[in-house]
Amino acid sequence: MTLSEVILTIRQLSTIEKLKLIRILAEDLEAAEDISPLEPFKTSHGEYVCDY
């Protein structure tokens, strides 16, 4: 299954199911040993961004 196919499938989920998916994916990312903790306004490249 391609990423495009996954996204199309995800878009068909209910709002509650999407939120559950986000939580699951965030927990998976947090458990990964090769990434630093997620920080607000920080990109994956270590740059800070803020639009306001």
Side-chain angles (χ1 to χ4, degrees):
M1 184 177 268
T2 67
L3 181 57
S4 296
E5 292 169 328
V6 171
I7 291 172
L8 288 173
T9 301
I10 290 170
R11 288 189 172 146
Q12 296 174 19
L13 297 174
S14 69
T15 301
I16 297 297
E17 290 172 322
K18 288 176 185 174
L19 289 171
K20 287 179 184 177
L21 177 60
I22 290 168
R23 186 172 294 135
I24 291 166
L25 293 175
E27 289 172 359
D28 286 353
L29 286 172
E30 186 176 47
E33 295 179 16
D34 61 339
I35 65 165
S36 58
L38 300 175
E39 297 180 41
F41 306 110
K42 193 170 185 182
T43 68
S44 60
H45 305 292
E47 303 166 353
Y48 282 93
V49 293
C50 187
D51 291 335
Y52 55 91

